[in-house]
Amino acid sequence: MQRIRSVATEAATATAAAAAGLDRRALLAATGAVTLSAGIGYALGPGAGAGNAAPADRATVPRSRPAHAAPAAPAAPRMPYKNGTTLLTAAAPHGTTGYRRLGDGPAWPRVVRGDLAAAKPGREERRTALAAFVQFTDLHLVDVQNPLRYEYLRAQTASAWRPHESLSVAGAVALVERVNALHGAPATGAPLHCVVTTGDNTDNNSRAELDWFLQVMSGGRITPNTGDPRRYEGVQASGLGLYWHPDDPLRDADKRLGFPHLHGFLDAAIREVNSPGLRLPWYSTVGNHDALPGGCWAPRDPYFTEFATGGKKLMSLDETRGAALWKAVKKGHDPKGARFKEILKGEKRRMRSVTPDASRAPFTPAEYLQAHLDPAHAGPGPIGHGYTQENLAAATQHYSFRISDDVLGISLDSTDPGGHYEGSLGTAQLRWLERELKANERRDGGPSYVVVLSHHTSRSMRNLRHDPARPEEARHGGDEIVELLGRYPSVLAWVNGHSHKNAITPHRTPHGAFWEVSTASHVDFPQLARVVELTDNHDGTISLFTTLIESAAPNRTDFADLSQTGLAALYRELSFNAPGARPALGGDAGDRNTELVLRKG
């Protein structure tokens, strides 16, 4: 596969070669670093995200530029490093029973995986950097007081309510702080190009949460509170033993497991949080919780909007009725929320009064795009964070963008507007994806490598329910997408989330091979993000490095510290202790910090 080097790269190479005492490994890292930064921060076209691939006889053309020049990435060391990553330490519990405190635990070593190609000796001295980016996924920034939430299903699913979720904004800001403090890419030392999100940026598909997400990413002051501006009105002040009441001596279900009594916690949880915003350009991908009320019910039902913004909230439910509802949701039997509405209407007399708030309304796909395109949320760019006016005109949420000179990113919308939390692609988007891949293969100077981004994993794309807006259009699942991506040797990786679990899967097809990289969420323990680096080993192979990072909050908590940083630390520790937490979400060693080898196309 032919590579193109920019003039800037050649100049940097000459300069680096002339530097006294610069070894070959440092020279190669410097060469890759300049190439990496040359194509920073723009979406592609014409027609990117609108269903039209670029003409096949020429390179795709930049369509939108950042609102202003992106700030320079932190100065990168010339060698790999471990500080600030799980290669140095990862949060781990002390003790064996009850509520367990966290502290600094053992490092997670890097594992070389040769499932798709053998790792050849000497590659460390030959390799050059192609691209490096950070993946955020499943932040689930949550308005915990939203009436549309179904916390009372806690006995059926741990995701219905988490003891720590009122701290999601503080936790996400600490993750932004971690990325800002990284000194380049851990495996190569090359500059990081961008941050990408792979969906479920919000939890309830609410306008308030969308605003919080955009301010966390691009910078701003966030008050994670809706309803009464003076006090918290959610389930943690309900007096119901089903929920942890941090400020109350009530012997609730969680305190019986050892959860602490933290006076002032709820006031601190709705206090203003300040995000510095990312210093890198960032790109957004949509997930089911960003598109569907509750993450599973078809959108645009006026009843859901009225209920979410209204003054009544259901906080408890007969367990038998709750079990029947969740069983229907899991099996995909209630995609439009008919059974959910039936329960809400039947439980009116048992609802609590809360302060109405219009900002809790579910946002539409058009509002999601408009919010991203708002210059007020541009941050370091690009305006739209991948989305363009063409997306808005065509009512689409997929696009392609240039990660670096050598690497093309393709962001997909895998949510199904017909309802249910699993995903799929419509025919129009699948055909657009195929055109993008074909156009890349015919690119002047040779194809770029490709990284595909989506929310859903290949295994969770089984929802073939039709889009109500396109009833004649077929839907396509994960197996079809794997087959399509496998036809193109330029595809190196499919990066996604949704499962809240670290998992790395090799895919081999008759025409090629690629890695599927699924990353744990930042709402459930172990609360991670992932750095992905691509390098050319100059021996017929490519290496993808994956390195997991935790937020900048300390692993050790102090119950007396209810500062922004203290809350972010509590966010992690409470998530570890949450009833129903699954240790398996961290994955095995081969799903964490890795070097993934595959043959060049």
Side-chain angles (χ1 to χ4, degrees):
M1 185 173 289
Q2 214 172 359
R3 302 262 60 81
I4 302 173
R5 291 289 181 191
S6 66
V7 174
T9 302
E10 292 173 1
T13 304
T15 302
L22 185 62
D23 64 24
R24 173 174 171 78
R25 191 173 182 183
L27 170 61
L28 291 175
T31 303
V34 175
T35 303
L36 177 65
S37 62
I40 199 163
Y42 54 87
L44 298 181
N52 299 309
D57 59 346
R58 61 181 174 84
T60 39
V61 179
R63 290 294 290 178
S64 63
R65 294 284 179 178
H68 49 77
R78 291 175 178 159
M79 301 293 286
Y81 70 93
K82 297 180 179 180
N83 287 344
T85 78
T86 57
L87 292 165
L88 183 67
T89 183
H94 297 163
T96 56
T97 60
Y99 183 95
R100 300 168 70 186
R101 307 301 294 273
L102 294 183
D104 294 342
W108 293 345
R110 193 176 301 283
V111 175
V112 179
R113 290 187 56 174
D115 311 48
L116 298 178
K120 299 181 181 180
R123 65 193 182 285
E124 298 87 353
E125 304 300 324
R126 295 187 299 269
R127 67 170 53 112
T128 53
L130 299 171
F133 62 90
V134 182
Q135 178 204 10
F136 286 4
T137 195
D138 296 86
L139 293 175
H140 285 273
L141 297 185
V142 53
D143 170 18
V144 295
Q145 300 174 85
N146 191 310
L148 204 55
R149 302 198 70 227
Y150 41 85
E151 297 101 331
Y152 41 82
L153 297 182
R154 183 185 188 190
Q156 283 69 50
T157 172
S159 63
W161 182 78
R162 303 169 174 94
H164 56 284
E165 60 193 10
S166 61
L167 306 181
S168 62
V169 172
V173 170
L175 185 61
V176 166
E177 292 171 340
R178 167 62 70 209
V179 172
N180 287 347
L182 292 177
H183 298 293
T188 61
L192 293 166
H193 170 264
C194 63
V195 174
V196 299
T197 77
T198 51
D200 282 4
N201 309 305
T202 65
D203 189 70
N204 301 306
N205 172 232
S206 89
R207 293 172 185 169
E209 294 170 345
L210 178 58
D211 184 64
W212 300 347
F213 163 68
L214 292 168
Q215 292 192 72
V216 164
M217 299 293 282
S218 289
R221 294 183 178 275
I222 307 126
T223 302
N225 182 34
T226 59
D228 190 332
R230 300 161 299 176
R231 64 188 180 95
Y232 169 91
E233 297 181 300
V235 297
Q236 289 181 277
S238 66
L240 295 168
L242 178 62
Y243 310 107
W244 177 47
H245 287 59
D247 287 79
D248 194 305
L250 175 71
R251 188 73 173 160
D252 55 59
D254 296 279
K255 289 204 190 76
R256 288 197 294 270
L257 298 174
F259 271 65
H261 178 200
L262 301 177
H263 180 70
F265 178 93
L266 292 178
D267 283 344
I270 61 173
R271 197 169 54 213
E272 184 180 82
V273 175
N274 184 23
S275 174
L278 288 164
R279 296 176 185 168
L280 295 168
W282 64 271
Y283 295 84
S284 188
T285 299
V286 67
N288 54 293
H289 278 265
D290 304 313
L292 311 177
C296 54
W297 289 300
R300 302 180 185 180
D301 187 323
Y303 177 83
F304 288 151
T305 299
E306 180 183 353
F307 194 81
T309 59
K312 294 294 182 180
K313 181 175 173 63
L314 183 63
M315 298 190 183
S316 63
L317 182 67
D318 174 77
E319 192 167 326
T320 301
R321 297 191 72 194
L325 173 61
W326 191 245
K327 182 178 180 181
V329 170
K330 285 184 69 175
K331 291 182 175 293
H333 293 166
D334 193 29
K336 295 184 178 180
R339 299 187 190 190
F340 183 47
K341 285 194 291 184
E342 180 183 330
I343 284 177
L344 293 178
K345 290 177 180 179
E347 296 286 334
K348 281 185 177 180
R349 292 184 179 181
R350 299 183 58 252
M351 291 183 181
R352 309 284 185 97
S353 293
V354 295
T355 304
D357 193 330
S359 74
R360 293 170 174 157
F363 55 81
T364 66
E367 289 170 336
Y368 185 77
L369 294 171
Q370 288 165 342
H372 280 75
L373 289 162
D374 186 343
H377 296 308
I383 288 180
H385 303 290
Y387 301 118
T388 66
Q389 291 293 336
E390 293 175 0
N391 287 114
L392 197 56
T396 59
Q397 291 180 296
H398 51 266
Y399 61 91
S400 60
F401 68 105
R402 182 62 55 184
I403 296 177
S404 73
D405 282 351
D406 292 314
V407 181
L408 177 70
I410 299 179
S411 174
L412 302 176
D413 173 9
S414 60
T415 63
D416 191 325
H420 193 48
Y421 53 75
E422 292 197 338
S424 58
L425 298 186
T427 298
Q429 186 178 178
L430 188 72
R431 296 291 171 258
W432 170 85
L433 172 60
E434 187 170 20
R435 290 195 298 273
E436 288 287 299
L437 295 171
K438 284 182 178 178
N440 178 63
E441 292 295 317
R442 298 167 184 163
R443 182 174 181 257
D444 283 350
S448 296
Y449 294 115
V450 175
V451 174
V452 176
L453 306 160
S454 73
H455 178 62
H456 291 89
T457 66
S458 61
R459 292 183 178 181
S460 59
M461 295 184 72
R462 302 174 295 184
N463 178 13
L464 305 184
R465 189 172 284 104
H466 286 208
D467 179 350
R470 299 178 175 88
E472 304 303 317
E473 183 185 55
R475 305 290 296 187
H476 305 270
D479 290 345
E480 279 191 75
I481 296 163
V482 167
E483 191 277 330
L484 173 61
L485 299 181
R487 289 185 224 157
Y488 294 89
S490 56
V491 175
L492 302 182
W494 179 4
V495 178
N496 50 45
H498 184 68
S499 63
H500 292 208
K501 181 179 181 180
N502 290 320
I504 297 179
T505 307
H507 290 288
R508 191 188 300 274
T509 73
H511 304 286
F514 66 92
W515 290 96
E516 182 174 357
V517 179
S518 307
T519 302
S521 74
H522 201 252
V523 67
D524 292 318
F525 191 83
Q527 294 189 348
L528 301 166
R530 197 188 291 266
V531 182
V532 179
E533 304 172 62
L534 291 77
T535 68
D536 187 338
N537 294 325
H538 297 284
D539 59 7
T541 66
I542 297 289
S543 285
L544 279 74
F545 291 91
T546 72
T547 307
L548 293 167
I549 57 174
E550 299 173 301
S551 84
N555 289 329
R556 188 177 300 276
T557 61
D558 178 353
F559 288 161
D561 181 5
L562 297 181
S563 68
Q564 180 174 315
T565 299
L567 293 177
L570 278 171
Y571 184 59
R572 182 190 295 124
E573 182 171 286
L574 292 169
S575 75
F576 172 81
N577 286 282
R582 294 178 289 161
L585 296 179
D588 297 326
D591 302 311
R592 298 174 181 172
N593 299 326
T594 66
E595 179 185 354
L596 310 173
V597 186
L598 69 166
R599 292 186 181 87
K600 289 170 66 173

